[in-house]
């Protein structure tokens, strides 16, 4: 792990465990079970940020994937609870996320830099995937490219003269593209094994190999072939020779030869474009391709999963018989990638804001104090839907998170990475838990027997107010 309090790792993990238990109880008992995916996402996000270690490429890639997946799960959980009108659930999830990042990664400048690069690289990959999805929709989804190919094919095989001319044009273009593809392979794989065959060498063409008179002749023949006089003359000649007419129909008018050369042309152009793609990838990866790909691993996984989901949506749409209940594949791809980009930016802003808040307000406990405060606020917002015991225990658990976080950061500051005995941290955690358990019991007794308010619905709120007073007093006692 990078950056988290190494000297107080037991206290830090204890704070995270308490925050997770409190959040799980609050979510389960207040109707926020759909937000469980957000709770898992918050933990995965914290682990992923802590795993961003450039010295270990596999761990870096795993951390990038965890950041993206955790971000998506956290965003999904927040979206589910916000749609149900329970903002308290979202606040609780934010509190767990803050504690997870503080406990598993820390909030130093190195953590911010690595998370920023992860969001940048993975976001760039997602943006490229989004552009490809939009381009595919514009060219193929709208039917433009298939219609253009079909129209060109029909025009090229409309008459025998046009078919003969266009067959030669496609053949020359395929030869030129094959030469470019061969040169591209030479640049990518210098000294590749195996001699070039005579057929391949004869098929390759350069612009210097194509005479200008030949090009001019093709243009003239194509223009003359479109006139009615030439079309009628050729049709009469073929009608007079049925065998020749059948050969012309089979070779030229069916378009088999054109399609074959067209496939060769398309493949050669793809190979010829490989060096340009290679240069773009090299420019993107820079001097440390392993680190760049590791940081971008989350974006690569997100794009791959999105494309698979879009393909599945397309198959389901074909089987839905026009019911309109299944979104189109392009809608799935674009929506998922845009949501991924927005979620990554939001998480980066959240972690940056968390670091700013801890740097200016609560330097002693870093993100633990902010996470504890969010847990208290979220519990307070959900107090009307929670049993009194859960409200009080949630407030006490938030204080435990704050206290353990203070000691985790204090150990790291004072001991400089030298871990104290585990027994020391366990004794402190046990003592804190015991004191808080007594405080919870006292608060419940006071809330049920000493307060002159007997409205059941208000007991949770009253008990919470009493606990807040107790918590402040306890915090002051700790500082003293």
């Amino acid at each position: 792990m990078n950056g988290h309090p190494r000297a107080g790792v037991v206290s830090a993990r204890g704070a995270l465990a308490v925050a997770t238990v409190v959040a799980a109880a609050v979510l389960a008992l207040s109707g926020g079970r759909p937000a469980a995916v957000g709770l898992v996402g918050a933990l995965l996000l914290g682990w992923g940020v802590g795993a961003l270690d450039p010295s270990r490429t596999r761990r870096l890639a795993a951390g990038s994937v965890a950041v993206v997946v955790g971000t998506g799960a956290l965003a999904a959980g927040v979206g589910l609870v916000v749609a149900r009108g329970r903002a308290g659930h979202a606040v609780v999830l934010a509190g767990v996320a803050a504690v997870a990042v503080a406990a598993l990664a820390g909030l130093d400048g190195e953590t911010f830099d690595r998370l920023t690069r992860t969001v940048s690289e993975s976001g760039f990959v997602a943006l490229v995937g989004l552009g490809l999805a939009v381009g595919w929709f514009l060219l193929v989804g709208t039917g433009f490219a298939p219609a253009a190919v079909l129209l060109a094919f029909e025009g090229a095989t409309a008459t025998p003269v046009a078919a003969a001319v266009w067959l030669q044009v496609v053949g020359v273009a395929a030869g030129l593209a094959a030469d470019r593809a061969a040169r591209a392979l030479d640049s990518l794989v210098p000294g590749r094994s195996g001699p070039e065959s005579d057929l391949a060498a004869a098929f390759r063409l350069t612009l210097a190999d194509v005479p200008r008179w030949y090009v001019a002749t093709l243009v003239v023949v194509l223009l003359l072939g479109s006139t009615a006089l030439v079309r009628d003359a050729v049709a009469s000649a073929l009608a007079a020779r049925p065998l020749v007419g059948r050969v012309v129909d089979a070779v030229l008018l069916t378009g088999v030869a054109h399609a074959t050369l067209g496939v060769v042309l398309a493949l050669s152009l793809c190979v010829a474009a490989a060096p340009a793609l290679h240069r773009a990838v090299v420019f993107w990866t820079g001097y440390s391709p392993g680190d760049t790909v590791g940081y971008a691993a989350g974006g690569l996984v997100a794009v791959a999963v999105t494309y698979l989901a879009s393909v599945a949506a397309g198959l389901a749409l074909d089987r839905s018989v026009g019911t309109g209940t299944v979104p189109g594949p392009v809608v799935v791809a674009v929506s998922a990638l845009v949501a991924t980009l927005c979620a990554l930016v939001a998480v980066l802003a959240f972690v940056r804001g968390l670091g700013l808040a801890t740097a200016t307000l609560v330097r002693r406990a870093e993100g633990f104090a902010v996470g504890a405060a969010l847990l208290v606020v979220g519990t307070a917002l959900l107090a009307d839907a929670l049993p009194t015991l859960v409200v009080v225990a949630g407030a006490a658990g938030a204080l435990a998170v704050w206290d353990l976080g203070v000691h985790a950061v204090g150990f790291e500051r004072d001991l400089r990475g030298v871990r104290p005995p585990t027994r020391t941290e366990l004794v402190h955690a046990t003592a804190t838990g015991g004191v808080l358990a007594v405080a919870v019991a006292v608060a419940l007794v006071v809330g049920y027997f000493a307060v002159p308010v007997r409205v059941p619905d208000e007991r949770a709120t009253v008990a919470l107010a009493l606990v807040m007073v107790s918590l402040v007093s306890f915090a002051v006692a700790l500082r003293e």
Side-chain angles (χ1 to χ4, degrees), residues 400-438:
V401 171
W402 176 82
D403 180 68
L404 292 173
V406 167
H407 281 76
V409 176
F411 281 137
E412 179 62 23
R413 183 187 63 247
D414 298 334
L415 301 181
R416 299 294 181 184
V418 179
R419 288 187 59 181
T422 304
R423 180 179 179 181
T424 301
E425 296 190 74
L426 291 178
V427 168
H428 170 263
T430 303
T432 300
V435 172
L436 290 176
V438 173

Side-chain angles (χ1 to χ4, degrees), residues 350-418:
F350 172 76
V351 176
R352 286 280 185 177
L354 184 63
L356 180 62
T358 57
T360 56
L361 300 177
V362 282
R363 297 182 181 180
R364 291 187 60 192
E366 291 191 353
F368 297 98
V370 177
L374 291 174
L375 287 175
V376 170
V377 173
T379 303
L381 293 175
L382 299 170
D384 60 334
L386 292 172
T388 304
L389 176 61
V390 176
V391 176
V392 178
L399 178 59
V401 171
W402 176 82
D403 180 68
L404 292 173
V406 167
H407 281 76
V409 176
F411 281 137
E412 179 62 23
R413 183 187 63 247
D414 298 334
L415 301 181
R416 299 294 181 184
V418 179

Side-chain angles (χ1 to χ4, degrees), residues 229-301:
L229 179 63
V230 175
R231 288 201 307 266
D232 294 341
V234 172
S236 300
L238 293 177
R241 296 173 176 80
L243 180 60
V244 176
R246 286 196 294 270
V247 172
V248 170
D249 290 341
V251 176
L252 295 180
L253 298 184
T254 58
V256 175
H258 298 75
T260 303
L261 289 176
V263 172
V264 173
L265 174 61
L267 294 177
S268 299
L269 291 176
C270 291
V271 176
L277 180 62
H278 177 260
R279 288 192 296 270
V281 172
V282 170
F283 176 79
W284 169 53
T285 55
Y287 295 103
S288 55
D291 289 351
T292 302
V293 175
Y295 281 114
L300 294 172
V301 171

Side-chain angles (χ1 to χ4, degrees), residues 172 176 179 183 204-213 215:
V172 171
L176 295 173
D179 179 71
R183 294 184 182 183
R204 292 174 55 177
L205 289 175
T206 62
L207 290 176
D209 296 331
V210 183
R212 294 184 178 180
W213 63 264
V215 177

